[in-house]
Amino acid sequence: MLFACVFVPYFVVQASIRCEPEQKRLAWSNRPIAVFDGPDSLPRIFACNAQAQIAGIENGITKAQAAQCPGIILRKRDPQQEQRAQDALLDCTSAFSPRIESTAQGIVTLDIGGTERIFGPPQKLLRMLAEQAARIGLEVNAAAASNPDTALIVAKGLIGTTVLPAGKEADSLAHLPVDVLPLSKAQMEILDSWGIRKCRDLALLPPVPLTERLGQTGLQIQRLARGEINRTLVPVDSPLKFEESLEFEDSVDDLESLVFVLNRLLEQLSARLVSRSLATDELRLTLGLEIHEDRDVRKKLPQPRSATFERRLKLPVAMQDTKVLLKLLQLDLAQHGPGAPVKRVTIEAQPAKRRITQGGLFASLAPEPEKLEVTLARIRGVVGEEDEHGRGRVGSPEVLDSHQSDQFRTTPFVTGDTKGVLCENRYSGSITMSMFRPPLVARVLCQAGKPARISFAEITCPIICVTGPWASSGNWWKQDKSWRREEWDIAIQLSHGVGLYRIFRDLRQNAWYVEGLYD
């Protein structure tokens, strides 16, 4: 049995800044950072990093006291960000083992027994774990041992990646300080009064006197210091919810700055989706707006009803490419902007199975779906999304199951699979018709109830052959959209030959129209 533990030092601090852009995170790497929480009247420091501790910042002091530290960065605590960071940590570790345990906040334990054939030796697996966690913005310590608790203690006490040899747990833990053990404040004071500083000193204490003074808890802590406790993991079945958010210190009112942040959030989501071998077919963008009513009144702008702006971007195929997703969001926001400064950004990716395709040997080349969707988004930005009838302007036309002529709707365009197309179907005996939009107004002279002469556009001539009529009607329950018509197919003599046309008479208006020309 072999277990690995991933530990995130200063988890609350890392969770509060992990979604910040990369340049800002690098600039903050050596600066003191503190996270405050509590009522607005008296916020207090909840957590801080090592640089802040060296500068004298302690948990429990007020925000005003911490602000006196030169160069300190103060962040407001957000429990939702901490939960999302924990979910992201579970996502990245699930790529290495099917049995993972959410041990505590910022701590994940996984069973890596038998994974050598897939990921190589444990030392290589731990390095891969650390690299995967770095992609989601978390710096971790990772350790592997024969039992979960020993791996956790080593991950807390040693920086980087460590693999403990089997049977040497006590020797490996001997030099670690006792504060890596789960001690209460009272127990820590007692051990400090006894002069116990290392795990080796605690492991050498006689069990009976230790139990008399600290109870069964003291004996349990001593067994932890010796690496003797074996327990069963409690696997977690985390829900597949991929969501990232970031709140700005100062509101953002230009698209360029907003896209800079969206890129970072999409990178986080893509890394999590890749860890789960998933993609996304829908993005939900929620922007928290900063509304200034007095400013809007002075400018005489309409007052927005809500301080939340939402956009939903449905994708034709499942995607993982951050650049494509970012470009689609950028084009959508350029056409449908929030109209107010943005204070908070939240992106949720709907998980979907990865797209697996294999091109046909004799099929014609088709554009990549990702590039095609970006091109279609650019076109929608120019021509608009819907026409006056509520139909999409960009997409694939789909004929509706109705007898009304030229009735269709627009569906999202996707590249079709042409592997099943037969060569003999390329040349068929059917004829096609070119439609006139709108239909051409015509004057028709009838004899014996049939069209005999027609005049439309610059053509005036007798009809040499006619078939019909075909009567159709529908939507009679809607007075404004009902239709009744008689259709005829006619042949007329033209200067260059015979022309075949489709004409119809609108029975409601008693008017004739030319609908199309047979090719």
Side-chain angles (χ1 to χ4, degrees), residues 251-252 287-297 301-309 338-344:
S251 59
V252 174
L287 303 179
L289 306 182
E290 188 178 46
I291 305 299
H292 300 282
E293 297 182 358
D294 54 345
R295 185 185 306 173
D296 293 342
V297 170
L301 298 178
Q303 296 294 323
R305 297 182 179 180
S306 176
T308 302
F309 176 82
V342 178
K343 187 64 176 178
R344 185 180 183 89

Side-chain angles (χ1 to χ4, degrees), residues 185-217:
K185 185 176 181 180
Q187 292 171 341
M188 183 67 73
E189 293 177 354
I190 293 175
L191 293 179
D192 185 67
S193 64
W194 293 351
I196 304 298
R197 305 287 188 274
K198 302 289 185 180
C199 290
R200 176 183 60 250
D201 302 332
L202 180 59
L204 294 177
L205 291 177
V208 175
L210 180 64
T211 306
E212 292 176 351
R213 290 166 174 79
L214 297 180
Q216 291 296 326
T217 305

Side-chain angles (χ1 to χ4, degrees), residues 88-136:
L89 189 62
L90 291 172
D91 289 334
C92 76
T93 54
S94 63
F96 299 92
S97 174
R99 298 183 67 242
I100 59 175
E101 176 191 73
S102 182
T103 308
Q105 196 179 55
I107 303 173
V108 174
T109 307
L110 56 158
D111 184 358
I112 60 173
T115 60
E116 292 83 0
R117 293 184 178 182
I118 303 175
F119 302 107
Q123 188 66 41
K124 181 180 178 181
L125 185 144
L126 295 182
R127 288 198 300 268
M128 295 171 63
L129 269 172
E131 292 173 358
Q132 187 71 12
R135 293 190 184 98
I136 61 172

